[in-house]
Amino acid sequence: MLIAGLSAIIIFSTQVQAVTPSPQMIEQFKQLPKSEQERIAKQYGVDPSMLSASSATTTVSNPQVVKPRSKVNNVLDQSEDEALTQQTKTAAKVDAIDNKKEQQLKPFGYDLFAGSPTTFAPVSDVPVPSEYMVGPGDTINVQLYGKENNNYQLMVGRDGAVQFPDLGPISLVGLSFAEARSLLQDKIAQSMIGINANITMGELRSIRIFVAGDAYQPGSYTVSSLSTITQALFISGGINQIGSLRNIQLKRQGKTVGSLDLYDLLMRGDASGDIRLQSGDVVFIPSTGGTVSVMGEVRRPAIYELKNNETMADIIKMASGLNPGAFPKASVVERFSDKAVKTVINVDLTAQNGLNQAVKNGDVLNVKSASNRIDNAITIAGAVIRPGKYQWTKQIKVADLLPSIWGNLTISADLDYALLVREINQRGDIEVHRIALGKAITEPFSEFNLTLKPRDTVLVFDYDDRKQLLNPIIKQLKKQSRFGEAAKLVSINGNVRFPGQYPLTANGNVKELLIAAGGLEEGSYTMSAELTRQIVSQTDGVSIEHKQLNLNEIMTNPSADARLQSKDILTVRMLPDWQDTRWVKIKGEVKFPGTYSIQRGETLKDVIARAGGYTEDAALKSAVFLRQSVKDKERLELAKLSDELRRDIAAKALTNDSPTVGYADAQLMLKELENIQVAGRLVVDLNALSLGIDEANLDLESEDALYIPPKNQTVSVMGQVQHPSTHRYKEGVTFDQYLELSGGSRKRADDDRIYIIKADGSVAMPNESTWFTSSSLMEPGDTIIVPLDTEYKDSLTLWQQVTSIIYNSAIAAAAVATL
């Protein structure tokens, strides 16, 4: 009746548009098998898409079955981490480090399923194996070609049969896909002559399975009929933190039909235990068995699950083997004893009995690392092109490692002084040998080409820098001096290139110490150098001995050289009256300005004469003489002034006096004061010097500078005047007249402190005069300075203060009158 009704609906809908099928009728039509839909549509000449298009399309989405795991479900949650961290704080330092490493270990394999259900994909488009059992709900696609061309989608009904058009029902109960395909091909060949068939699987049925035990989300799930155990684990969210990865059981009709060890899949890629599921199967995940923690020098530190009495060799395989830097011979196992106390067992993983040792539940295997020390190496450092470690071989020498001066050493390498640092015992104590590197390379058979031993270090010094390489050696020599013996160190000071402290080399002498210090500086006094030596006596104490040495004999005659002892001090003197080249500069109005070399005791008058004397335009009174020592003194005085001002400001801030300036302004003022550039000018009187007055002459120093300007016919007025300006000098014009020419003083000028800077750099006060000279008389090149009155007060402020004084005085007088 349903088919007849739908047929009538189709006829009426195609011929008369007045009748429209209801959504209920369309849904009933859509519930028919596709073969029936095609048969009805073909019988009445209607396209099935007309009915499907008339209904509203609905989007089908796969719901997220399991949410990703949160941080709370991790193997160690935050509360457990805090508790374990608190426990480790009470242990020793080494145990705390090991416990921390153990806590950081994660159980192996569980990360595969953490938050994984979203990655589970349907398996409807994978090839169907020939042994697949056809069952109700499966769809078989049949393509007929030859005399007729047709496509059918046959759904297996609940009775296990398919409704084949023109052939009737065909039972496929208990047949595999290969058998069903063969059966359908035989039926078509017998009943449809001249027609060939291609038979494939269409949509697969869904089966209902159960995931039980320690799964992340146990329960009943609908999966594809091609699903396996691992896909069931994925769809259920994986395994819980206490679930076993090595004994996942598949139960069918109350019996265990298979088990899966995920370690085979994860470590070896073996999926042979991943059995296909059937409807009603139960995937059971039991609790985990024993575990072992593996840490240290292994490739994959983790917590592994134990199974079937596994040994240490099996555990190392689970951890993917050892790292190259491992020392398996000294591996350690922490194990709980029968008394619930942790014990430590040494395991030699290089021996067979150690590898065959059984592993127990709760064991912690710690594979130690090898030593970073290199036993058979020689180290080269310093001014070499290729520093580093090199292999030691028998009878190897310095020239074998550094065969070429040009090809192995830098340009600035010191060829006369290099050191060989050698370990003399297992404690790391060292002794030092000196190497003449240039002779060792150019004369391979000489005594300087030392034979090397394992762990030797060759230090090649840069000719301009020795401290960087010497400091570790000096520190080690001081450190290894333990039982009251003096450290093997000597010192050299005086006129040498690199004064300081040096290691006492084996059989070291004065000549070697001079070479270590880079040799003598220019002007050294070689006839006599002082060697200071401490003589230690347990009864008399320490006494000092001074010995004079002739350096000329020591450098030329090896037999005259003196052996050195610990704490010896060599002092190299300078020649009497030796001095470096000194230079002074003379510029300006002299006949031959330039830079002149001077010797000690040479005076200003002598250098002026060497410069050819003055020119006709020379302004001797305006000469500027600069000296470096004066500049240093002015800089020192400026620093003292800055410190005094800083103390005054700080003291005023601690008293009740209101500060005149703020803290920020005071700091800015002090900073500006410190940045003032000093000149270092020394006042000289060249006029008196030219008149032959010896008191005006002075001895010169290195870096002195004299500038003689041309004659100046101006007078300048600066500071608090109405119009600061420069005026032409007129003979007889006084100080007051020049001040009036600039408009006079301003209201804030301090008239009592006006001063004149003379052309020679001296300072004169205009109000000071004598019978013979008058400082108010001006000269060419003079400058008048009118300073600011820092205590100036305007009339309003002054009268306020006066009124306050009068008022307070009146109150005091009235109070006295009432007594």
Side-chain angles (χ1 to χ4, degrees):
M1 292 178 63
L2 176 61
I3 295 173
L6 289 173
S7 302
I9 291 171
I10 293 171
I11 295 172
F12 290 143
S13 63
T14 54
Q15 295 179 357
V16 181
Q17 299 297 332
V19 180
T20 303
S22 64
Q24 292 80 8
M25 294 180 181
I26 296 175
E27 289 298 327
Q28 291 178 359
F29 176 79
K30 291 172 63 178
Q31 291 177 1
L32 293 175
K34 290 187 177 181
S35 58
E36 294 296 329
Q37 294 179 6
E38 294 176 354
R39 186 177 62 81
I40 295 173
K42 182 179 179 181
Q43 181 178 355
Y44 294 98
V46 179
D47 188 0
S49 61
M50 295 174 57
L51 296 177
S52 60
S54 62
S55 62
T57 59
T58 58
T59 303
V60 180
S61 61
N62 292 326
Q64 185 176 353
V65 181
V66 182
K67 296 180 180 179
R69 298 187 182 185
S70 61
K71 293 182 179 179
V72 181
N73 291 324
N74 284 336
V75 178
L76 289 176
D77 58 13
Q78 186 177 2
S79 61
E80 292 174 343
D81 285 338
E82 293 177 356
L84 289 173
T85 304
Q86 189 65 26
Q87 293 174 3
T88 56
K89 287 181 179 180
T90 61
K93 185 176 181 180
V94 177
D95 294 337
I97 294 174
D98 291 340
N99 289 342
K100 187 175 181 181
K101 290 181 180 179
E102 184 178 349
Q103 291 173 20
Q104 292 175 351
L105 296 178
K106 294 182 179 180
F108 174 74
Y110 289 88
D111 292 341
L112 177 66
F113 303 102
S116 299
T118 55
T119 65
F120 179 71
V123 292
S124 59
D125 55 350
V126 299
V128 178
S130 59
E131 65 272 12
Y132 174 75
M133 302 302 295
V134 179
D138 287 339
T139 301
I140 299 177
N141 296 329
V142 180
Q143 180 185 11
L144 301 179
Y145 59 93
K147 187 172 63 175
E148 294 182 6
N149 296 325
N150 284 313
N151 292 318
Y152 299 104
Q153 291 182 348
L154 307 179
M155 179 179 290
V156 181
R158 294 184 178 180
D159 56 354
V162 294
Q163 299 293 331
F164 200 105
D166 300 333
L167 295 181
I170 300 175
S171 178
L172 303 178
V173 176
L175 299 180
S176 64
F177 172 63
E179 296 171 343
R181 179 171 55 187
S182 178
L183 176 62
L184 291 175
Q185 287 176 345
D186 292 342
K187 291 283 187 181
I188 294 171
Q190 294 174 3
S191 304
M192 299 179 178
I193 300 173
I195 295 177
N196 296 321
N198 180 30
I199 300 173
T200 59
M201 287 296 299
E203 295 183 4
L204 303 179
R205 69 182 184 276
S206 298
I207 59 174
R208 197 74 173 174
I209 63 167
F210 296 90
V211 181
D214 288 312
Y216 180 67
Q217 289 288 350
S220 177
Y221 293 94
T222 300
V223 296
S224 170
S225 56
L226 285 180
S227 297
T228 59
I229 297 177
T230 55
Q231 291 162 353
L233 295 177
F234 274 113
I235 200 66
S236 63
I239 301 173
N240 204 350
Q241 44 204 354
I242 62 171
S244 173
L245 273 70
R246 308 198 64 184
N247 190 24
I248 301 170
Q249 303 171 8
L250 176 61
K251 297 180 179 293
R252 185 174 295 162
Q253 296 178 359
K255 297 180 180 180
T256 301
V257 297
S259 62
L260 173 64
D261 187 349
L262 280 178
Y263 278 19
D264 294 336
L265 177 62
L266 297 176
M267 296 180 182
R268 292 176 287 275
D270 183 7
S272 58
D274 194 12
I275 305 173
R276 188 174 295 111
L277 302 177
Q278 296 183 11
S279 182
D281 283 354
V282 176
V283 178
F284 179 73
I285 305 172
S287 298
T288 184
T291 58
V292 59
S293 300
V294 183
M295 56 189 292
E297 295 297 327
V298 292
R299 292 183 178 179
R300 186 169 55 215
I303 301 174
Y304 295 95
E305 185 179 348
L306 296 177
K307 180 182 178 182
N308 298 331
N309 299 322
E310 286 166 318
T311 63
M312 291 293 175
D314 299 327
I315 300 303
I316 295 300
K317 289 181 181 179
M318 292 181 186
S320 294
L322 305 176
N323 288 331
F327 187 62
K329 191 172 184 178
S331 300
V332 175
V333 175
E334 296 181 7
R335 178 175 294 171
F336 286 99
S337 65
D338 298 335
K339 297 180 181 180
V341 178
K342 259 192 175 183
T343 59
V344 177
I345 303 172
N346 293 329
V347 179
D348 184 3
L349 295 180
T350 61
Q352 195 62 36
N353 56 353
L355 294 173
N356 293 335
Q357 186 172 346
V359 182
K360 294 184 179 181
N361 182 22
D363 282 356
V364 178
L365 174 61
N366 190 353
V367 181
K368 302 295 184 178
S369 60
S371 174
N372 291 327
R373 295 184 177 181
I374 303 176
D375 184 58
N376 64 333
I378 299 172
T379 304
I380 301 177
V384 293
I385 296 178
R386 290 173 290 273
K389 295 184 181 297
Y390 293 85
Q391 180 185 359
W392 173 83
T393 57
K394 238 177 186 182
Q395 298 300 321
I396 188 172
K397 295 187 176 183
V398 175
D400 297 329
L401 288 178
L402 302 170
S404 170
I405 295 176
W406 178 258
N408 295 96
L409 305 179
T410 62
I411 297 177
S412 59
D414 191 345
L415 301 181
D416 297 322
Y417 184 69
L419 291 182
L420 171 62
V421 182
R422 174 168 293 166
E423 294 185 10
I424 56 177
N425 53 34
Q426 297 295 327
R427 302 176 62 174
D429 293 345
I430 62 173
E431 65 178 10
V432 183
H433 299 264
R434 177 236 171 181
I435 303 174
L437 198 57
K439 293 184 178 179
I441 296 175
T442 56
E443 302 175 11
F445 298 101
S446 65
E447 59 180 349
F448 300 102
N449 191 16
L450 300 179
T451 302
L452 301 178
K453 294 183 179 181
R455 301 191 300 277
D456 280 354
T457 300
V458 178
L459 300 178
V460 182
F461 293 96
D462 192 292
Y463 200 72
D464 294 329
D465 185 17
R466 302 182 187 272
K467 290 185 178 180
Q468 185 176 0
L469 294 178
L470 282 176
N471 286 338
I473 303 175
I474 295 174
K475 185 177 180 181
Q476 176 62 28
L477 290 174
K478 291 179 179 179
K479 182 180 178 182
Q480 70 187 36
S481 177
R482 301 180 181 91
F483 303 106
E485 57 186 13
K488 293 184 178 181
L489 297 171
V490 291
S491 300
I492 184 171
N493 53 42
N495 200 38
V496 291
R497 289 181 58 86
F498 306 111
Q501 198 172 42
Y502 288 88
L504 176 59
T505 58
N507 301 321
N509 50 38
V510 174
K511 183 177 180 180
E512 284 192 1
L513 183 57
L514 292 173
I515 295 173
L520 302 176
E521 284 277 20
E522 186 181 4
S524 298
Y525 184 59
T526 59
M527 297 298 295
S528 177
E530 185 179 76
L531 179 64
T532 302
R533 177 169 294 171
Q534 293 184 4
I535 301 175
V536 181
S537 174
Q538 296 297 328
T539 57
D540 300 332
V542 179
S543 61
I544 303 297
E545 180 186 42
H546 301 289
K547 185 178 180 180
Q548 302 300 318
L549 302 177
N550 190 326
L551 297 184
N552 283 331
E553 294 183 2
I554 289 176
M555 298 300 292
T556 57
N557 186 9
S559 60
D561 202 350
R563 290 288 179 88
L564 294 176
Q565 298 180 8
S566 298
K567 302 185 72 64
D568 280 356
I569 301 174
L570 179 65
T571 302
V572 179
R573 301 184 178 97
M574 186 181 292
L575 283 171
D577 297 329
W578 173 263
Q579 62 180 11
D580 294 329
T581 303
R582 300 183 178 188
W583 303 92
V584 295
K585 294 181 180 179
I586 298 181
K587 296 182 179 180
E589 297 299 322
V590 291
K591 293 182 179 180
F592 304 107
T595 302
Y596 290 86
S597 173
I598 62 171
Q599 61 181 354
R600 182 176 297 178
E602 196 163 356
T603 63
L604 179 61
K605 183 178 180 180
D606 297 334
V607 175
I608 293 175
R610 289 169 59 188
Y614 312 115
T615 63
E616 295 181 357
D617 293 333
L620 301 183
K621 201 167 185 61
S622 301
V624 178
F625 185 83
L626 303 178
R627 173 162 287 181
Q628 184 64 36
S629 60
V630 176
K631 186 175 183 180
D632 296 338
K633 186 177 180 180
E634 290 178 352
R635 190 180 292 109
L636 181 62
E637 294 296 329
L638 194 62
K640 290 181 179 179
L641 176 61
S642 178
D643 292 338
E644 290 177 2
L645 288 177
R646 187 177 286 105
R647 285 194 294 269
D648 291 342
I649 293 172
K652 201 163 189 177
L654 297 175
T655 60
N656 294 328
D657 298 340
S658 58
T660 55
V661 292
Y663 177 78
D665 296 335
Q667 293 297 324
L668 182 61
M669 179 183 66
L670 292 173
K671 186 175 181 180
E672 292 292 335
L673 184 62
E674 293 173 354
N675 293 333
I676 292 177
Q677 297 295 328
V678 295
R681 182 174 181 180
L682 179 65
V683 177
V684 293
D685 191 353
L686 295 185
N687 283 327
L689 185 63
S690 62
L691 294 176
I693 301 176
D694 294 336
E695 289 79 1
N697 200 4
L698 76 161
D699 293 337
L700 294 179
E701 297 179 2
S702 181
E703 299 183 11
D704 283 350
L706 175 65
Y707 174 67
I708 303 175
K711 293 180 180 179
N712 188 359
Q713 299 297 324
T714 60
V715 174
S716 300
V717 182
M718 301 295 173
Q720 295 297 316
V721 292
Q722 299 296 337
H723 183 66
S725 56
T726 300
H727 307 278
R728 186 171 63 85
Y729 171 76
K730 296 179 180 179
E731 187 175 356
V733 178
T734 63
F735 157 79
D736 294 327
Q737 292 173 339
Y738 280 114
L739 196 61
E740 290 178 1
L741 289 176
S742 295
S745 302
R746 291 184 181 179
K747 187 180 294 185
R748 293 180 177 271
D750 191 349
D751 295 331
D752 296 332
R753 295 168 55 202
I754 299 176
Y755 58 91
I756 302 172
I757 300 178
K758 307 297 289 182
D760 59 356
S762 60
V763 177
M765 305 300 294
N767 296 326
E768 298 177 356
S769 61
T770 65
W771 291 99
F772 303 101
T773 60
S774 176
S775 58
S776 62
L777 294 178
M778 304 300 296
E779 296 178 349
D782 289 351
T783 301
I784 301 173
I785 303 296
V786 182
L788 174 70
D789 187 2
T790 57
E791 299 179 355
Y792 171 80
K793 296 179 181 178
D794 56 11
S795 300
L796 179 60
T797 304
L798 179 62
W799 280 110
Q800 285 178 351
Q801 293 179 354
V802 171
T803 305
S804 176
I805 294 172
I806 295 174
Y807 175 73
N808 292 331
S809 300
I811 292 177
V816 173
T818 56
L819 296 177

